[in-house]
Amino acid sequence: MSLCLPCTGVAVMKFKSPPVNSLSLEFLTEFSIGLEKLENNRACRGVIITSAVPKIFSSGLDITEMCGKSVEHYGEFWRAVQEMWLRLYGSNMVTVAAVNGSSPAGGCLIALSCDYRIMAENPKFSIGLNEAQLGIVAPFWFKDTFVNVVGHRIAERSLQLGSLHPAPEAQRLGLVDELVPEEKLMEKAAAVMAQWLALPDHARQLTKTMMRKAVLDRLVAHREEDIKNFITFVSKESIQKSLRMYMEMLKKRKS
């Protein structure tokens, strides 16, 4: 992951974990530390999040972290996923996702957690919380984040079907705010950032906290319970079997 903070007060965070920017324990930890450093830097008022890997924003949670590992590892991994979301969704900075590739599952969550989402205008790129396709249930805080962006009905249907929405459909549903040609993505992200930063920080930050606090507090209050639920769920042999089958399918695709 590369991090750049020019004198404009706007950082650019680029995911750089080939081949598909999977959210491994190491990746999540580095991401959270990067966000914390920016949050503690008074010169930084906003961050644009994008990918340095062609055609992919992030493929979501690293399946290998959830398959054939110890209970302790599952707990550590899930705590890192929670930490990433709590930091990003609750950030005082202006956060803009410049989605320059496909963004399923956890990748979609990162985009949803930002204040504004701009996606490359390419119908081959898709975005969505597609956990149901893998036999996995999206946690309540994934669901809450999704509902807050697109509304209850669209979220309910999309989550149950595990839908991945092509970029034009994602914009129509409100999952992303704008589509722009890929070569103009960062230029547009910078323009949007400037628009948001034109407002006094304190008013924007307090409004953001007011809008998001209930969702954040819900996870904080049930964090240990959520970790236990994840461990119980992912340890089931039926789930492990589904994950192994999915990993085999990915290996066949690569070969």
Side-chain angles (χ1 to χ4, degrees), residues 240-252:
Q240 287 292 307
K241 186 179 178 182
S242 291
L243 293 174
R244 285 194 298 269
M245 287 171 63
Y246 184 69
M247 284 166 65
E248 282 300 317
M249 183 187 75
L250 290 179
K251 282 179 188 174
K252 284 176 185 175

Side-chain angles (χ1 to χ4, degrees), residues 34-231:
L35 285 173
E36 184 180 18
K37 283 180 180 175
L38 293 176
E39 202 77 53
N40 292 333
N41 184 343
R42 289 191 175 181
C44 184
R45 298 174 63 210
V47 59
I48 296 168
I49 298 172
T50 192
S51 169
V53 178
K55 299 178 183 177
I56 190 84
F57 181 70
S58 169
S59 65
L61 302 184
D62 189 340
I63 301 295
T64 63
E65 299 279 14
M66 300 186 279
C67 196
K69 299 287 198 299
S70 67
V71 166
E72 291 75 20
H73 182 87
Y74 295 148
E76 185 184 7
F77 175 65
W78 198 245
R79 190 177 294 279
V81 179
Q82 293 176 332
E83 187 64 27
M84 176 276 293
W85 177 78
L86 288 168
R87 285 203 175 278
L88 183 57
Y89 198 64
S91 175
N92 274 324
M93 297 180 290
V94 175
T95 53
V96 174
V99 184
N100 54 341
S102 287
S103 192
C108 177
L109 180 71
I110 289 175
L112 287 170
S113 301
C114 292
D115 296 311
Y116 202 83
R117 286 156 292 285
I118 309 163
M119 192 167 183
E121 198 171 20
N122 186 333
K124 290 182 179 178
F125 295 164
S126 60
I127 185 170
L129 294 177
N130 64 321
E131 283 80 357
Q133 288 189 29
L134 311 182
I136 297 172
V137 178
F140 69 86
W141 42 284
F142 281 51
K143 180 268 295 178
D144 289 345
T145 310
F146 200 20
V147 168
N148 282 359
V149 171
V150 300
H152 196 280
R153 175 59 189 142
I154 290 169
E156 180 182 45
R157 186 179 63 209
S158 187
L159 284 168
Q160 287 196 51
L161 294 173
S163 302
L164 284 173
H165 305 284
E169 184 182 304
Q171 186 193 23
R172 196 179 77 246
L173 296 175
L175 181 47
V176 296
D177 297 297
E178 284 188 71
L179 298 182
V180 297
E182 191 168 356
E183 66 274 12
K184 294 190 175 176
L185 192 62
M186 293 307 290
E187 181 187 330
K188 184 63 182 179
V192 167
M193 180 65 75
Q195 183 185 7
W196 284 62
L197 291 180
L199 279 76
D201 282 344
H202 68 279
R204 180 192 53 74
Q205 288 166 355
L206 287 170
T207 303
K208 182 175 181 176
T209 300
M210 177 177 65
M211 297 297 292
R212 298 189 174 197
K213 189 175 186 299
V215 175
L216 289 160
D217 285 351
R218 193 172 166 210
L219 176 59
V220 171
H222 299 284
R223 195 166 181 182
E224 296 307 318
E225 181 187 344
D226 183 58
I227 291 171
K228 285 177 186 173
N229 287 343
F230 173 76
I231 292 170

Side-chain angles (χ1 to χ4, degrees), residues 1-5 11-14 33-35 37-38 47:
M1 191 178 308
S2 62
L3 190 59
C4 174
L5 179 57
V12 177
M13 190 178 270
K14 287 189 177 183
I33 290 170
L35 285 173
K37 283 180 180 175
L38 293 176
V47 59

